[in-house]
Amino acid sequence: MTTNEMFSSEKYATRGVSERVPLDIQLALWSILDKRKQRGDTLDSMQVFELIVELVDGEPLQVVRNRQEQPPHEETIYLDVSEPVDGITLWVIDSGEYCTMLFPNEY
């Protein structure tokens, strides 16, 4: 599977993710992967997203750290969302048939 084909099949989120992570954040994470593909990044089939809240001028801002193992990649993205979440790690895995967003303990 080429990088442009990765994360292009049907996308799913587990029930746990659907219950704990607001939809706008879920959509933003999928969008981050789409933008990386458009940039020509080589994507690993497992992406790790760490969600952290930082206060900027007294306002909560969603911080997303996206990383992968092969090839090594790490970047930080700031999102303006209505309900930021803190201390959550998500995995997005492309199995080839479908893509799943899940918590590490759901693997």
Side-chain angles (χ1 to χ4, degrees), residues 5 12 28 50 55 81 98:
E5 293 171 333
Y12 299 96
E50 296 171 341
L55 290 178
V81 296
Y98 49 86

Side-chain angles (χ1 to χ4, degrees), residues 14 22 26 39 46 50 54 56 66 71-72 102 105:
T14 63
Q26 294 176 48
R39 273 195 324 230
M46 186 174 106
E50 296 171 341
E54 282 185 15
V56 176
N66 172 221
L102 67 154
N105 66 345

Side-chain angles (χ1 to χ4, degrees), residues 6-45:
M6 286 199 131
F7 301 101
S8 297
S9 52
E10 292 294 321
K11 296 171 175 60
Y12 299 96
T14 63
R15 182 183 310 256
V17 170
S18 296
E19 291 173 352
R20 291 186 51 205
V21 179
L23 182 59
D24 60 340
I25 294 175
Q26 294 176 48
L27 294 173
L29 300 182
W30 292 118
S31 177
I32 288 167
L33 294 175
D34 289 340
K35 288 175 184 167
R36 288 192 55 210
K37 287 185 344 183
Q38 289 171 0
R39 273 195 324 230
D41 289 2
T42 301
L43 299 177
D44 192 337
S45 62

